Amino acid sequence: DVKVTQSSRYLVKRTGEKVFLECVQDMDHENMFWYRQDPGLGLRLIYFSYDVKMKEKGDIPEGYSVSREKKERFSLILESASTNQTSMYLCASSLISGRSYEQYFGPGTRLTVT
Amino acid sequence: GQSLEQPSEVTAVEGAIVQINCTYQTSGFYGLSWYQQHDGGAPTFLSYNGLDGLEETGRFSSFLSRSDSYGYLLLQELQMKDSASYFCAVTSGGSYIPTFGRGTSLIVHP
């Protein structure tokens, strides 16, 4: 079974803090993704990566950055957290070919910025 | 750009059949996927349709009509545990990255 883990289930940070969200997958998937999920808005793609040290912007990259130093690990960074970044953050991974449409998600990190 | 439309909420009774529709607008369409997400849980992949027709997996089936830019998820013999949000997602335009709809909340009543 593919397993995607995220470093925290719940996180509370203050405005202006730098926040790191970590994601690890154990199935040697090439692709990794960061989404945020807000009520009524579905899943919106923040950034994705198809290889180590490679990154591409998604639909809503503003205020975020990412890092992929190892194939199994993809980090989301909020350089200076703001209250409008309070959300559920979901990490996912997938193969780069074949069943690339099938994403495996982590349990999510619910981030509250106060 | 891409757009997907699905109902925000559907209700049904245990044992019934329910259909969740998804219409999409996109260029270079590849396929339509469905994901299930229980409250507080992670989305999990249910099905994928790359070709027209019906794909069946147990109590769940998914249908695609490429000419109508339309698909649906059919859930039979509904159980209480089927209460969840269901997302359709399209892959298109040379990208392997699915674009998700806003989700349909399915409420199953006893």
Side-chain angles (χ1 to χ4, degrees), chain A residues 70-85:
Chain A
K70 293 185 178 181
K71 188 175 185 180
E72 67 271 18
R73 189 178 297 270
F74 193 35
S75 302
L76 180 70
I77 303 152
L78 287 67
E79 295 290 341
S80 177
S82 63
T83 55
N84 63 12
Q85 292 178 310

Side-chain angles (χ1 to χ4, degrees), chain B residues 77-107:
Chain B
E77 301 171 21
L78 277 175
Q79 301 175 10
M80 297 296 291
K81 68 178 182 179
D82 297 329
S83 291
S85 292
Y86 293 84
F87 295 87
C88 60
V90 295
T91 46
S92 60
S95 171
Y96 49 78
I97 303 165
T99 298
F100 288 84
R102 296 191 175 198
T104 298
S105 176
L106 171 63
I107 302 169

Side-chain angles (χ1 to χ4, degrees), chain B residues 2 4 22 24 26 29 31-33 88-92 97-100:
Chain B
Q2 298 171 330
L4 295 96
C22 176
Y24 58 86
T26 187
F29 175 83
L32 186 71
S33 303
C88 60
V90 295
T91 46
S92 60
I97 303 165
T99 298
F100 288 84

Side-chain angles (χ1 to χ4, degrees), chain B:
Chain B
Q2 298 171 330
S3 70
L4 295 96
E5 293 289 333
Q6 53 181 130
S8 58
E9 186 176 293
V10 172
T11 59
V13 296
E14 214 173 358
I17 298 172
V18 73
Q19 179 174 310
I20 300 173
N21 298 320
C22 176
T23 57
Y24 58 86
Q25 287 187 326
T26 187
S27 56
F29 175 83
Y30 283 166
L32 186 71
S33 303
W34 289 92
Y35 285 77
Q36 178 192 59
Q37 184 181 30
H38 286 100
D39 270 352
T44 56
F45 174 81
L46 289 176
S47 67
Y48 175 78
N49 293 71
L51 301 173
D52 285 358
L54 193 68
E55 295 280 343
E56 298 181 63
T57 309
R59 294 187 297 112
F60 292 7
S61 303
S62 57
F63 172 83
L64 175 67
S65 169
R66 296 170 71 105
S67 60
D68 295 322
S69 299
Y70 163 74
Y72 64 74
L73 181 69
L74 190 74
L75 297 85
Q76 302 183 74
E77 301 171 21
L78 277 175
Q79 301 175 10
M80 297 296 291
K81 68 178 182 179
D82 297 329
S83 291
S85 292
Y86 293 84
F87 295 87
C88 60
V90 295
T91 46
S92 60
S95 171
Y96 49 78
I97 303 165
T99 298
F100 288 84
R102 296 191 175 198
T104 298
S105 176
L106 171 63
I107 302 169
V108 181
H109 295 288

Side-chain angles (χ1 to χ4, degrees), chain A residues 101-112:
Chain A
Y101 51 79
E102 183 174 353
Q103 295 193 328
Y104 294 83
F105 284 84
T109 297
R110 185 165 294 282
L111 173 67
T112 302

